[in-house]
Amino acid sequence: MRSTLIITGASGALGSWFVRDWLSQHPDSHVIALFRSSQAASRCLQDLPAHSRSRLECRIADLTDADSLNALAATLPAIECATAVHLAADVAWDKTFEEMHELNVGGAQLFCGFVQKLVRKPHFIYVSTAFTRCEGWTYRNGYEESKAAAERGLREAFGAQMPISVFSCSLVIGATSDGAISRFHGLYPLIRFINSFAPPFLVGNRQGLFDLVPIDWVVDELIHLVSHCVAGGEAREVVASAGDARLPYEQVIRIIESRVDHARQQAGIEPLTPAPILRSRQWAFLKRSLVAWRPEGISTRDFRYFERLLQIYGVYAESDLVRPPLNVRRPAPGAEVFLPKAVDYWLAHAPEARISLDKLVAKSAAMHG
């Protein structure tokens, strides 16, 4: 069956994987993807196999600019039936709600309006996070609040005019089989810091459950929802979270450290000292007591980054509030299976991982020379 998708966020980690797999599995499908720049469009095309590229129609538009979207809509022919998948978002955990409102809330509204103008019978899929919900939630950062506000706004403004499905996933990392992923966001800054600076401690509840899901499983569940909508199915809500497969925060950290140690051992570098995990009140006391304290060997800039990471990840390690799985076809794989592969993939493919290792090798050689 020939289908048309209209998608945002196709150059991101989740979006690029989804577009690749969707076009591979649906050879009659046509995808119109909105990008903020030609560079982002080129990056997405490069991620596709050559035989799929002709079925990805790249269009440039600014999701925060109504005039930009209106101008694009005027250049496109009307579409009888299409499914829109809104993946684009600012996913930073350290920004305020006000800083994220323009893209995450306003951009969702403008894109939905664009779809309404272009498509006579649309089905809109809003991609959100399993770390929030519209009501009855204590928002831990601007990201959670903005995603919930966007969903509320879409339902209020467009819910009576088109079916709106919601797909929410938790923290996405590399694929189950080999740890592969195209962009290093989410958990990867923490992996980077553990690898580069061997932090003297981390912050969180050691036994708090951390919700990680592999990108291939998430994309499979998203494709199933999109297929349901393309076939004319009713609006549906899906939550792709780990559920019973969650791991304690300390186990997540020890897995990361063990894979970093494996890379160090291969390079002839001494292993990490396992980082103690403090509760947030202990960290707050430490900051008050030792105002000028900074771990040895970490620059002022990197220490500020360290503090920011403690704040960002500590929130989720202290409060393991996440929505349980809903309407998924199969349970998420256990993180003990895919997390080691994800760390190994980052160590092998991230430029900063190689730079850090080379510096440690040079430092070790100088100390023993």
Side-chain angles (χ1 to χ4, degrees):
M1 179 180 66
R2 179 169 177 79
S3 60
T4 298
L5 300 188
I6 307 171
I7 185 171
T8 66
S11 62
L14 186 57
S16 60
W17 196 296
F18 167 77
V19 168
R20 186 196 67 191
D21 282 10
W22 176 267
L23 289 174
S24 174
Q25 296 174 27
H26 299 81
D28 291 331
S29 183
H30 176 67
V31 177
I32 302 170
L34 276 57
F35 298 93
R36 62 188 173 190
S37 69
S38 57
Q39 291 81 7
S42 297
R43 189 162 63 242
C44 186
L45 282 169
Q46 290 169 3
D47 287 341
L48 292 177
H51 62 81
S52 294
R53 291 172 187 163
S54 63
R55 291 184 288 122
L56 179 66
E57 181 180 344
C58 299
R59 297 285 183 163
I60 309 303
D62 184 348
L63 292 178
T64 65
D65 184 348
D67 291 339
S68 173
L69 288 168
N70 289 336
L72 175 59
T75 69
L76 296 172
I79 301 171
E80 175 66 15
C81 184
T83 299
V85 184
H86 184 47
L87 275 155
D90 186 338
V91 298
W93 284 353
D94 59 343
K95 291 184 179 180
T96 65
F97 173 72
E98 290 73 23
E99 290 172 321
M100 307 186 91
H101 186 277
E102 183 178 31
L103 177 58
N104 288 4
V105 181
Q109 291 267 339
L110 290 177
F111 177 59
C112 199
F114 166 83
V115 171
Q116 184 184 46
K117 290 175 184 173
L118 191 62
V119 184
R120 196 175 77 82
K121 292 189 294 184
H123 192 132
F124 194 88
I125 300 175
Y126 175 64
V127 178
S128 187
T129 171
F131 294 110
T132 197
R133 67 164 72 238
C134 290
E135 307 295 341
W137 200 265
T138 300
Y139 302 117
R140 289 162 286 193
N141 51 45
Y143 174 63
E144 290 185 358
E145 188 176 359
S146 68
K147 296 299 285 185
E151 183 181 341
R152 282 195 300 270
L154 289 172
R155 295 194 184 281
E156 291 168 4
F158 300 98
Q161 303 162 45
M162 68 176 76
I164 298 176
S165 292
V166 178
F167 181 89
S168 303
C169 60
S170 54
L171 196 57
V172 177
I173 61 171
T176 311
S177 61
D178 59 3
I181 197 168
S182 62
R183 315 283 184 265
F184 297 120
H185 303 302
L187 187 69
Y188 291 97
L190 180 60
I191 297 173
R192 171 188 176 273
F193 199 83
I194 290 173
N195 177 70
S196 299
F197 299 103
F201 61 86
L202 293 169
V203 172
N205 176 7
R206 294 187 299 113
Q207 297 305 313
L209 297 177
F210 216 62
D211 204 294
L212 300 170
V213 286
I215 191 167
D216 55 318
W217 177 78
V218 173
V219 168
D220 283 348
E221 296 296 337
L222 179 56
I223 285 176
H224 183 66
L225 174 62
V226 175
S227 299
H228 163 82
C229 299
V230 166
E234 75 286 351
R236 180 178 290 180
E237 188 170 9
V238 174
V239 180
S241 56
D244 293 339
R246 290 181 294 169
L247 290 183
Y249 180 59
E250 183 171 29
Q251 188 175 351
V252 169
I253 297 303
R254 301 306 173 224
I255 288 173
I256 295 171
E257 290 174 337
S258 71
R259 300 319 300 164
V260 169
D261 279 347
H262 178 72
R264 287 180 168 224
Q265 182 182 16
Q266 291 183 318
I269 303 169
E270 61 183 21
L272 296 168
T273 299
I277 299 175
L278 310 181
R279 295 302 297 259
S280 58
R281 61 181 179 271
Q282 294 173 296
W283 168 227
F285 175 78
L286 185 62
K287 284 197 295 184
R288 288 194 302 269
S289 302
L290 302 170
V291 176
W293 173 82
R294 188 174 77 238
E296 184 180 353
I298 300 180
S299 69
T300 299
R301 184 187 68 178
D302 288 328
F303 181 61
R304 296 295 170 239
Y305 179 61
F306 170 55
E307 286 189 300
R308 186 163 65 88
L309 284 182
L310 291 180
Q311 178 182 358
I312 291 170
Y313 292 101
V315 167
Y316 287 94
E318 286 280 353
S319 169
D320 55 12
L321 184 64
V322 63
R323 296 182 63 188
L326 177 67
N327 291 328
V328 293
R329 291 183 303 162
R330 57 187 177 92
E336 68 275 7
V337 174
F338 59 82
L339 179 57
K341 298 172 186 176
V343 179
D344 287 350
Y345 187 88
W346 180 85
L347 288 164
H349 293 86
E352 60 267 35
R354 170 49 57 186
I355 292 170
S356 175
L357 189 61
D358 289 345
K359 286 182 178 179
L360 289 172
V361 169
K363 181 178 179 181
S364 176
M367 290 176 60
H368 297 91

